[in-house]
Amino acid sequence: MTRLRGLYPHPPEFERFLYAPVGTDRKGSSVTVLSALARLGLDPWTETAALVALSRDAARARLGLLLSKVWDVPALGRDHGTVAQELTLLLPDTPPKAAPTWQAAPLAAGRLGSGTAIWTILAILFVVAQLLFGGLFGSGE
């Protein structure tokens, strides 16, 4: 099944890396690279893109440093370097291709330019219709 970039804007090449387990937290939940990076307050996809742009050794060093800061996964405190070494093998070799950017054609002068203008006009017409058919002040009861 193919993915539409508009519905899922993240590079699919990152999935193998981001969904790889890094250990179990103190509550017994499995922790992935994605959740470990999120626990550090980092955007997992941005951080992965930065790791892919580095050399393999630099990526391993950076990832090891990041994983050493995940305090609630005991195994990372002891083996963050080994885990980082194994995980960097899951990174794509090259940065993913940029998603195509779509641009709207320039609008001609005098044309309605957006859906907002149409909804505004429809709202005004609705209010006018309510005033005409419902009376200005109600039924007078």
Side-chain angles (χ1 to χ4, degrees):
M1 178 168 73
T2 60
R3 287 207 175 123
L4 297 175
R5 283 280 199 197
L7 298 176
Y8 188 79
H10 304 298
E13 301 90 332
F14 291 176
E15 288 181 6
R16 221 174 62 159
F17 171 74
L18 285 172
Y19 295 115
V22 297
T24 304
D25 67 10
R26 296 184 194 283
K27 295 180 181 178
S29 299
S30 179
V31 177
T32 62
V33 174
L34 186 142
S35 59
L37 293 173
R39 289 175 188 207
L40 294 173
L42 300 170
D43 179 86
W45 290 273
T46 303
E47 192 60 41
T48 303
L51 290 171
V52 170
L54 298 172
S55 69
R56 200 62 81 176
D57 290 335
R60 182 174 51 244
R62 171 131 176 92
L63 184 60
L65 177 66
L66 292 172
L67 293 178
S68 70
K69 295 178 182 182
V70 181
W71 59 271
D72 59 342
V73 180
L76 289 179
R78 296 183 304 270
D79 283 336
H80 61 273
T82 305
V83 173
Q85 183 175 0
E86 292 172 4
L87 289 172
T88 53
L89 298 175
L90 300 176
L91 288 168
D93 292 329
T94 58
K97 295 178 183 176
T101 57
W102 301 99
Q103 294 179 343
L107 297 172
R111 264 179 68 190
L112 291 177
S114 68
T116 305
I118 293 171
W119 284 110
T120 303
I121 291 170
L122 287 174
I124 291 170
L125 290 175
F126 178 75
V127 170
V128 169
Q130 287 292 321
L131 291 174
L132 290 176
F133 294 116
L136 191 58
F137 300 104
S139 62
E141 292 183 44

